[in-house]
Amino acid sequence: RLEFNNRGFVEEMQKRRIGFTKPNFPSFNISKLFEFVPFGIALDPELRVRFAGEQLLHLLGMDLLGSEFLHYFRIQRPHVTFSWEAITVFQSVTWEVISKKLPETATATATTATATATQGGPAGAPGAVVGMPNGDTGMPGTVMPGSATVDTLTVTNCNNLITVRDNPTRRGSSQAPWVSQESSLHSIRGLLLKGQMYIVKESNIALFLCMPLLNNLVEMREMGLYLNDLSMHNMSREMVLKGWEHCSRVEIMYNRAEEYSSRLEDAHRKLEETKAWRDDLLYSMLPRQVADFLRQGNDPYATCQTLDEVSVLFAEVVLSRECESMGAMDVMKTISEMYQLLDRTTDQYSVFKVETVGGVYMVVGGAPEYRPDHCAQVAALALHMLREVTSTTPHTHNLRIGIHIGPVAAGVVGLKLPRYCLFGDTVNTASRMQTNSKVGRVHVSERCAQQLQKFGFTTTFREKLQIKGKGEMNTYWLEPRPGDASLLSR
């Protein structure tokens, strides 16, 4: 057990109590109290508003007096059911009360009150005038029956009606021309009041001594309030000004952040456009599967593979005699336009453009991923190329096409300017089919013709030709099909 002697402390406290005398202040009008608390409210045990500060009456109207407190306000904190007992229990707790949306009658009354003030209504602060004992200092007021004298103020028994003066007037500074009387009343979103509920036992009245919480000057103006309306005896004015200063700094920071965000968005958009352009360029040089494989950091040699069967197409651009007198730049321009036309046509099929060498355009089907209909895709592309060239440049350009089917080795070779290349005898044979073809025709090998017949294509036997490096070979012409204008689906 811990024991200690605190006799000295007790004696000192007793001496202090003996020397303390409770001051007896003269009673005064309760309206003077609400000059210090212009947004205060006095409630009776039935929770009706018996008195309110001048500024609160100006905002909510004179109908506030005598009405139920919860008709105009909503309790935000503490989270209790509002009652006289709750006020008694939570006198030491900070209360937060927010005003509700104004009824039509209250709005009309408040508008009338404001209009009266604008036209020069009677002077004086609104509210209840509480009686003073006879022989007081002569403060204005009406002596109410049943009044009780308190040490600091005189209040009236709530069982009697409280006298209210005429409609309140506004100070001249509150009648700024840029504030509409109607709009200021209708734009009230809800005035937040924060303060203490204190019960005066002698008069059985609950005083809500509060101050409005306003974020900044703009919100204060929207409420129809001005700095003059706020009490100078508490921190309400300082809170509004500090909030305005803080909001100004925040606004500057927000504008800077918005500007930085805008620049960041522009940079991100340009980056995305650059990435899309880079991907398009990469996918035009390499098959998509191979390009994605290399972007993961894999060795280009790992892309090399042996394919058992692919279709290889060679298309040579042939210029007419009228173009033989053209200059080198004109020839290059016409060849470029032709290749662009062929590129647009090739993109409509599931094939890959390998390369262009001089005036020869090379395409492969079934690589790097195998497709069962690779032969049909390449054949349909060949016929489509001839139709496009014939309809676009019938007198200046034409094509000579050859196709062959067989195994190849494919992959990316080299470090600088990497290309997806094909190797094997199939490539050489397809090239021989193209060189032995005729202008405006598609020349195919026997194996290719057999495969195309399975997909409904028509081929006609040409003749046995002596193919360089291959000897004699049976070759065929690929004939246009009825309705071949309908392209194969990808």
Side-chain angles (χ1 to χ4, degrees):
R1 187 171 71 177
L2 181 63
E3 295 181 353
F4 60 94
N5 187 2
N6 63 343
R7 183 179 303 172
F9 174 75
V10 175
E11 292 177 354
E12 182 181 354
M13 294 304 296
Q14 290 176 353
K15 291 180 181 179
R16 291 183 180 180
R17 291 177 182 176
I18 294 174
F20 178 76
T21 57
K22 190 175 184 181
N24 187 15
F25 294 102
S27 56
F28 62 89
N29 196 316
I30 193 175
S31 62
K32 292 297 181 181
L33 172 64
F34 280 88
E35 289 182 7
F36 293 94
V37 190
F39 292 87
I41 300 174
L43 303 175
D44 60 13
E46 297 179 356
L47 303 180
R48 293 182 178 274
V49 179
R50 307 314 302 266
F51 183 78
E54 174 186 359
Q55 308 306 334
L56 200 59
L57 290 176
H58 170 74
L59 291 177
L60 302 183
M62 301 301 296
D63 290 344
L64 175 64
L65 298 177
S67 62
E68 295 183 358
F69 182 80
L70 294 180
H71 182 69
Y72 279 84
F73 299 95
R74 182 177 69 254
I75 305 300
Q76 189 160 292
R77 286 186 180 85
H79 301 288
V80 294
T81 302
F82 188 62
S83 63
W84 188 262
E85 291 75 13
I87 297 176
T88 304
V89 174
F90 293 96
Q91 291 189 77
S92 300
V93 176
T94 301
W95 290 71
E96 289 186 7
V97 174
I98 187 168
S99 63
K100 297 181 180 179
K101 184 179 180 181
L102 295 180
E104 295 296 333
T105 57
T107 305
T109 304
T111 306
T112 305
T114 307
T116 303
T118 306
Q119 298 171 2
V129 180
V130 181
M132 301 176 296
N134 295 331
D136 205 350
T137 57
M139 294 183 181
T142 303
V143 179
M144 303 298 294
S147 62
T149 302
V150 192
D151 292 336
T152 56
L153 70 160
T154 299
V155 293
T156 304
N157 194 319
C158 292
N159 295 328
N160 301 301
L161 294 177
I162 296 179
T163 305
V164 181
R165 292 185 180 179
D166 295 332
N167 293 337
T169 59
R170 300 286 289 167
R171 291 184 291 274
S173 61
S174 300
Q175 301 299 330
W178 46 268
V179 176
S180 172
Q181 301 162 5
E182 293 276 350
S183 61
S184 64
L185 293 171
H186 287 282
S187 63
I188 295 179
R189 299 188 303 270
L191 181 63
L192 180 61
L193 304 174
K194 184 174 182 179
Q196 179 186 8
M197 290 279 188
Y198 179 77
I199 293 181
V200 181
K201 297 181 181 179
E202 293 81 355
S203 301
N204 207 22
I205 284 182
L207 299 177
F208 183 32
L209 307 177
C210 59
M211 58 179 289
L213 295 184
L214 302 170
N215 292 325
N216 48 48
L217 294 174
V218 176
E219 183 176 346
M220 182 182 65
R221 187 181 67 181
E222 291 177 353
M223 292 292 177
L225 297 174
Y226 303 87
L227 283 177
N228 295 348
D229 300 330
L230 305 179
S231 175
M232 67 176 64
H233 307 289
N234 54 30
M235 300 296 293
S236 56
R237 294 189 180 186
E238 286 74 8
M239 290 176 61
V240 172
L241 293 176
K242 285 296 182 182
W244 172 79
E245 180 182 358
H246 175 70
C247 289
S248 298
R249 294 179 180 178
V250 171
E251 184 177 1
I252 293 175
M253 295 174 62
Y254 177 78
N255 292 335
R256 290 178 180 176
E258 281 289 320
E259 183 180 355
Y260 176 75
S261 177
S262 178
R263 292 200 304 266
L264 188 62
E265 288 180 358
D266 292 340
H268 179 71
R269 176 178 52 80
K270 293 180 180 178
L271 178 61
E272 291 296 325
E273 293 176 355
T274 303
K275 289 176 61 178
W277 175 82
R278 180 197 64 186
D279 292 341
D280 292 340
L281 180 61
L282 182 62
Y283 294 149
S284 64
M285 297 174 58
L286 301 173
R288 181 179 294 269
Q289 302 87 341
V290 176
D292 293 338
F293 181 77
L294 293 178
R295 291 173 66 176
Q296 296 176 3
N298 297 311
D299 187 3
Y301 182 75
T303 61
C304 298
Q305 58 181 339
T306 301
L307 302 172
D308 294 335
E309 185 180 84
V310 297
S311 299
V312 181
L313 176 148
F314 282 93
E316 181 183 6
V317 178
V318 180
L319 299 179
S320 62
R321 292 184 178 181
E322 291 80 356
C323 298
E324 292 180 356
S325 59
M326 296 173 58
M329 292 299 297
D330 294 334
V331 172
M332 186 180 69
K333 180 180 179 181
T334 57
I335 295 296
S336 177
E337 293 175 352
M338 178 65 65
Y339 281 165
Q340 292 179 15
L341 175 64
L342 298 182
D343 287 339
R344 291 192 296 268
T345 306
T346 303
D347 289 340
Q348 304 179 39
Y349 295 86
S350 297
V351 295
F352 175 70
K353 172 189 173 183
V354 180
E355 61 181 351
T356 55
V357 180
V360 179
Y361 193 92
M362 180 180 179
V363 176
V364 62
E369 290 187 357
Y370 177 76
R371 287 180 59 99
D373 62 339
H374 61 86
C375 183
Q377 291 284 333
V378 172
L381 171 62
L383 296 176
H384 194 180
M385 284 180 174
L386 292 178
R387 289 198 308 274
E388 290 293 333
V389 173
T390 302
S391 61
T392 305
T393 56
H395 303 294
T396 57
H397 300 79
N398 213 321
L399 294 178
R400 184 165 53 200
I401 302 176
I403 304 175
H404 181 58
I405 294 177
V408 296
V412 178
V413 294
L415 297 178
K416 292 185 178 181
L417 194 61
R419 300 290 299 179
Y420 186 76
C421 301
L422 303 179
F423 303 92
D425 185 66
T426 301
V427 178
N428 297 329
T429 304
S431 177
R432 297 293 182 266
M433 293 293 106
Q434 174 262 316
T435 54
N436 288 277
S437 182
K438 293 183 179 181
V439 176
R441 303 299 300 269
V442 180
H443 192 207
V444 299
S445 62
E446 183 176 13
R447 181 178 178 181
C448 182
Q450 294 173 357
Q451 290 291 333
L452 291 177
Q453 292 174 3
K454 297 178 181 179
F455 290 95
F457 288 88
T458 303
T459 58
T460 57
F461 180 72
R462 180 184 179 183
E463 60 180 332
K464 278 190 176 183
L465 293 180
Q466 187 70 27
I467 303 300
K468 181 180 179 181
K470 300 294 294 181
E472 288 188 351
M473 291 183 62
N474 293 327
T475 59
Y476 295 78
W477 294 119
L478 175 62
E479 303 293 344
R481 298 180 301 173
D484 62 352
S486 61
L487 306 180
L488 294 178
S489 60
R490 294 182 66 87

